[in-house]
Amino acid sequence: ILTEENLSKAIGRRGQNVRLATKLLNYEINIMTDAEDSERRQLEFKEKTENFVKNLELDETLGQLLVAEGFSTIDDIKDSSLETLGKIEGIEEDTAKALIDRAKEFYQKDQEHISERIKELGLEDTLINLKGLTPGMLVTLGNQKILTLEDFADLASDELTGGFDIVKGERVKIHGYLEDFALSKDEADGLIMSAREIIYKD
């Protein structure tokens, strides 16, 4: 996260600086200005709050409070304890219990819906059974017409994780198929290599 005047130095001519740093460190490096980071944080806060409000039927104030206290997903609430939630000022034990119950109920319904969706999309069993792919990931892949182990094995890791590229001197965001699942480059490489090993072994 840099000031506007240091941004071009970090990126380098045609992106050479950030590309070299990425190769040396083996980490994906995203560069953004203070203003972009602030905007990103505000958007994330809003999206997380809306998720809680909509899916757990909470009022906005309680949704915002949970996000401010570090809860990012419904799974975070589902896996939390009464004691942890009860420590948050403004959340009584009854409210904490109701939150956990609602999160568990949502999770159960969501898993049933995802299982049905995987069947509808027609994913092959070999891809469904690939270790490391969650049901949510499988639905996302199916929506992108990636239905077989061979389809998946043909991908590159940045097609899964997303990233940035330099097009005509401008930094352009490339969306990855599984970007929303916070998959690291190493994890993406591991999944793709596992798929290739199964195919070549057979």
Side-chain angles (χ1 to χ4, degrees):
I1 299 163
L2 302 161
T3 56
E4 192 73 50
E5 56 267 23
N6 287 326
L7 193 65
S8 60
K9 292 179 188 174
I11 294 172
R13 188 177 179 186
R14 296 180 182 169
Q16 63 183 6
N17 291 352
V18 72
R19 274 205 298 269
L20 176 60
T22 297
K23 285 179 182 175
L24 289 171
L25 297 173
N26 200 28
Y27 278 98
E28 179 186 334
I29 300 172
N30 295 333
I31 297 174
M32 62 185 72
T33 63
D34 293 319
E36 287 172 333
D37 181 54
S38 176
E39 186 180 337
R40 177 183 62 84
R41 288 174 184 273
Q42 288 174 24
L43 182 62
E44 281 182 1
F45 190 92
K46 183 170 179 281
E47 287 174 347
K48 289 173 185 176
T49 300
E50 286 175 352
N51 181 34
F52 291 154
V53 169
K54 177 186 173 185
N55 294 311
L56 299 183
E57 298 178 7
L58 309 180
D59 64 52
E60 191 170 359
T61 303
L62 181 53
Q64 290 174 341
L65 177 61
L66 289 166
V67 177
E69 289 291 334
F71 291 89
S72 297
T73 66
I74 291 175
D75 275 2
D76 291 343
I77 297 171
K78 174 181 70 73
D79 298 333
S80 189
S81 65
L82 287 173
E83 183 183 7
T84 301
L85 286 169
K87 286 178 181 175
I88 301 172
E89 190 174 346
I91 295 183
E92 304 296 330
E93 186 176 337
D94 287 350
T95 305
K97 185 177 184 311
L99 282 169
I100 293 171
D101 287 345
R102 288 186 194 182
K104 286 179 177 177
E105 184 181 347
F106 173 84
Y107 175 80
Q108 184 63 37
K109 287 180 179 175
D110 193 47
Q111 291 303 298
E112 290 169 5
H113 172 72
I114 286 172
S115 295
E116 288 172 10
R117 185 70 183 132
I118 289 171
K119 287 178 187 175
E120 289 170 6
L121 288 165
L123 278 79
E124 287 190 357
D125 287 344
T126 49
L127 182 57
I128 292 171
N129 295 328
L130 183 65
K131 189 176 178 183
L133 288 178
T134 67
M137 290 177 182
L138 290 168
V139 169
T140 302
L141 292 170
N143 285 329
Q144 297 295 328
K145 307 300 180 193
I146 299 164
L147 304 176
T148 69
L149 198 65
E150 287 80 4
D151 293 338
F152 187 79
D154 284 341
L155 298 174
S157 59
D158 59 355
E159 289 181 273
L160 295 180
T161 61
F164 289 88
D165 201 358
I166 306 299
V167 179
K168 296 179 181 177
E170 293 292 321
R171 199 165 54 108
V172 177
K173 178 79 177 78
I174 307 298
H175 187 75
Y177 296 134
L178 301 182
E179 187 172 334
D180 294 340
F181 295 90
L183 201 66
S184 72
K185 187 179 184 304
D186 285 346
E187 288 168 335
D189 282 334
L191 285 169
I192 291 167
M193 290 309 297
S194 295
R196 289 175 183 173
E197 284 170 10
I198 294 168
I199 291 167
Y200 296 145
K201 185 174 71 175
D202 294 344

